[in-house]
Amino acid sequence: MYDLAIVGLGVAGLEALNIALDNNLNVIAFEENELGGTCLNMGCIPTKSILYLSNLYAKTKNNNLSSLSFCDVKFDWQEVIKEKDEIVQMFVKPLNMNLSKKAEIIKSKVEIIEDEEQIKLVSKEGEFYAKKLIISTGSIPYELPDLKFDGKSILSSDDIFKLESLPKSLTIVGSGAIGLEWAKILSDFGVNIKLVEKMNSLCPSLDIDIQKRVERILKGFGVDFYKNDYIVDYSNNKVTLKSNISFESDKILVAVGRKPNLPKITTIRKNDNIYLIGDVKGEIMLAHNSQYQAKSAMNKILFDEYLPQKNVPSVIYTTPEIASIGINEQDIEDKNDYIIKKLPIASIAKSWCDREHEGFIKLIIKNDIILGAHIISKDADSLISLIGVLIEEKIHVAKIKNMIFPHPSFCEIISEVLK
């Protein structure tokens, strides 16, 4: 009988496991795939590794500075993937080595049998029993009924890492983080990209000003996009949209999000000691949110109290980066109660020094407290983190105005926009 069992060792499961070990719980964990889950193996880390190289390649190839010149700039896709794999293994190998010494980990699929007295876990290694259970089995790419993944011409966000060479043309379905990041990467490497979004706007979950600016950013990448549209036919490498627009496309990447990957659970009698954390919970599917959910669930297990809900920042790693936290302008019912401050990134000197002056910062303020922030800028991930602290701690705008930010820097845009 274990104090705790954890099924799934992605970002959330690993966080929970480490907290359990630090608190001397008798814990067992199950993972049928690589430790680290989607984020480390097929998501955040590998994508950002490739994105760095695509950015570097595009900036070098398309450099228009009179002071610098380059020639014969090339890339090797297989080497790009090889470097990505090396970076992933830099984290996966230590995980395996360190955890195998500290924790009992079963590398197999597991069935969960739930009743009110205990939880039974059945795997090829045998039967195990636990008082409490954390399910953190992550998510899988969402598949569209008329665009079933085949790994060859219709790809998921997992499949795209397996390409031996890049196609000449590719259509991306969906304009969320996955779709936009791959649009940037592949267009940088010379792939002709079309992007199709079923909703009336790109990035429909983000602030309205972000939605508008993303269109300009995509045009800068050379990406054609189609809003309020969807694919009705794909055959002989030809895409036909609902709007009757047709074009050639060697492949399609379906990037419309992910869905919870629930394990098999047999319920005999409901047990209140089962906790879902991370993507499998089906809420905000971001690694940092998954980690916080793990901390909250473990706090409940150890001290019988969940951690308070917090604002969760999101970042899309295009160039420039897109970051948001808190409320969107279009969600405000009575705008008379709010102050909206907005300033172009080009207003600060550092943006010109770094030749990165595309974008803006937008703050939504009520009663002298920031309630929402939306940024398109280089280093937007760091900027949104700093603003997240200001929001969480309810720091008054009057105090923020008197803070000292380094100059020149991107973060001084925070004080500049509040003037």
Side-chain angles (χ1 to χ4, degrees):
M1 175 64 71
Y2 292 86
D3 296 326
L4 174 68
I6 301 172
V7 177
L9 289 176
V11 169
L14 288 170
E15 183 74 19
L17 177 59
N18 283 317
I19 294 171
L21 292 172
D22 288 344
N23 285 273
N24 300 313
L25 294 185
N26 183 19
V27 59
I28 187 170
F30 300 82
E31 174 56 66
E32 59 177 307
N33 300 307
E34 289 284 357
L35 299 185
T38 297
C39 180
L40 180 52
N41 294 283
M42 303 296 285
C44 322
I45 304 308
T47 307
K48 280 33 168 204
S49 165
I50 297 173
L51 185 61
Y52 169 81
L53 295 175
S54 75
N55 270 333
L56 187 60
Y57 175 74
K59 284 185 177 181
T60 307
K61 185 178 177 63
N62 302 323
N63 166 50
N64 58 5
L65 298 173
S66 59
S67 55
L68 297 174
S69 62
F70 303 91
C71 61
D72 197 29
V73 182
K74 299 178 181 178
F75 77 93
D76 184 322
W77 176 250
Q78 291 189 351
E79 286 297 313
V80 169
I81 295 299
K82 181 181 176 182
E83 284 192 29
K84 177 268 295 182
D85 290 340
E86 289 171 353
I87 289 172
V88 169
Q89 287 304 310
M90 282 175 55
F91 294 91
V92 171
K93 285 182 179 178
L95 270 179
N96 281 289
M97 289 176 60
N98 295 334
L99 284 179
S100 63
K101 297 174 184 176
K102 299 191 298 183
E104 186 173 357
I105 298 175
I106 306 296
K107 297 298 288 290
S108 76
K109 200 170 184 176
V110 65
E111 179 186 353
I112 299 163
I113 300 173
E114 169 192 13
D115 72 32
E116 63 187 6
E117 296 294 328
Q118 61 188 12
I119 299 151
K120 183 163 78 169
L121 301 109
V122 182
S123 77
K124 64 181 182 181
E125 302 294 329
E127 296 181 356
F128 305 87
Y129 297 86
K131 298 173 185 175
K132 298 179 187 293
L133 170 67
I134 282 179
I135 299 174
S136 50
T137 44
S139 60
I140 56 176
Y142 192 91
E143 187 175 53
L144 294 174
D146 297 328
L147 293 171
K148 298 283 188 181
F149 300 134
D150 60 15
K152 297 176 182 178
S153 58
I154 302 177
L155 310 175
S156 71
S157 54
D158 292 351
D159 295 327
I160 202 159
F161 291 109
K162 303 168 188 175
L163 290 177
E164 294 184 2
S165 60
L166 292 180
K168 291 182 180 179
S169 58
L170 181 138
T171 300
I172 297 175
V173 181
S175 64
I178 297 171
L180 291 182
E181 288 178 11
W182 278 109
K184 174 66 171 69
I185 289 169
L186 297 174
S187 61
D188 280 350
F189 284 137
V191 180
N192 185 302
I193 299 294
K194 312 283 188 188
L195 188 145
V196 181
E197 171 55 61
K198 191 173 184 179
M199 304 297 285
N200 292 324
S201 60
L202 303 180
C203 308
S205 65
L206 297 183
D207 184 84
I208 189 167
D209 282 331
I210 297 275
Q211 295 173 6
K212 294 174 183 175
R213 187 60 67 92
V214 164
E215 294 188 11
R216 191 165 100 182
I217 290 171
L218 284 178
K219 288 175 183 176
F221 298 162
V223 173
D224 295 325
F225 56 87
Y226 307 89
K227 299 182 293 181
N228 193 27
D229 219 338
Y230 56 89
I231 296 173
V232 294
D233 184 65
Y234 179 57
S235 54
N236 300 318
N237 287 8
K238 183 179 179 181
V239 168
T240 303
L241 303 180
K242 178 202 69 171
S243 58
N244 290 323
I245 295 172
S246 296
F247 47 80
E248 297 295 315
S249 184
D250 294 335
K251 297 181 186 297
I252 292 176
L253 169 62
V254 179
V256 293
R258 300 177 68 86
K259 63 180 181 179
N261 180 35
L262 274 167
K264 184 178 179 182
I265 304 176
T266 302
T267 301
I268 299 171
R269 286 167 294 189
K270 188 169 178 57
N271 192 309
D272 293 329
N273 291 310
I274 296 179
Y275 304 84
L276 267 65
I277 60 172
D279 282 7
V280 74
K281 198 171 182 180
E283 296 179 348
I284 301 172
M285 293 188 180
L286 297 170
H288 44 282
N289 188 54
S290 297
Q291 283 183 308
Y292 187 74
Q293 287 180 352
K295 292 175 183 177
S296 184
M298 287 305 302
N299 207 70
K300 173 67 174 175
I301 288 169
L302 292 166
F303 309 114
D304 199 29
E305 184 178 8
Y306 287 108
L307 297 178
Q309 293 290 323
K310 294 180 181 286
N311 286 294
V312 180
S314 67
V315 183
I316 301 175
Y317 291 87
T318 49
T319 302
E321 294 172 357
I322 302 165
S324 289
I325 191 170
I327 63 173
N328 297 331
E329 181 180 351
Q330 64 266 32
D331 298 330
I332 299 172
E333 293 183 3
D334 187 357
K335 292 187 179 180
N336 293 324
D337 295 335
Y338 294 81
I339 297 171
I340 295 177
K341 296 275 192 175
K342 187 177 174 184
L343 192 66
I345 291 297
S347 64
I348 58 171
K350 189 67 161 64
S351 71
W352 291 95
C353 295
D354 289 5
R355 280 71 170 177
E356 298 279 2
H357 40 77
E358 169 67 76
F360 62 85
I361 183 172
K362 175 179 180 179
L363 300 181
I364 300 173
I365 301 163
K366 183 179 181 182
N367 298 329
D368 205 40
I369 298 292
I370 300 171
L371 297 180
H374 308 283
I375 306 171
I376 295 180
S377 171
K378 180 187 176 184
D379 296 339
D381 56 350
S382 299
L383 292 173
I384 209 69
S385 300
L386 175 54
I387 295 172
V389 173
L390 301 176
I391 292 174
E392 201 62 43
E393 297 301 317
K394 295 182 171 58
I395 306 296
H396 285 262
V397 167
K399 286 188 176 182
I400 300 170
K401 287 180 179 179
N402 291 324
M403 290 180 178
I404 300 175
F405 294 89
H407 173 78
S409 69
F410 280 91
C411 65
E412 64 183 322
I413 192 75
I414 297 171
S415 59
E416 290 296 317
V417 72
L418 292 172
K419 286 183 177 178

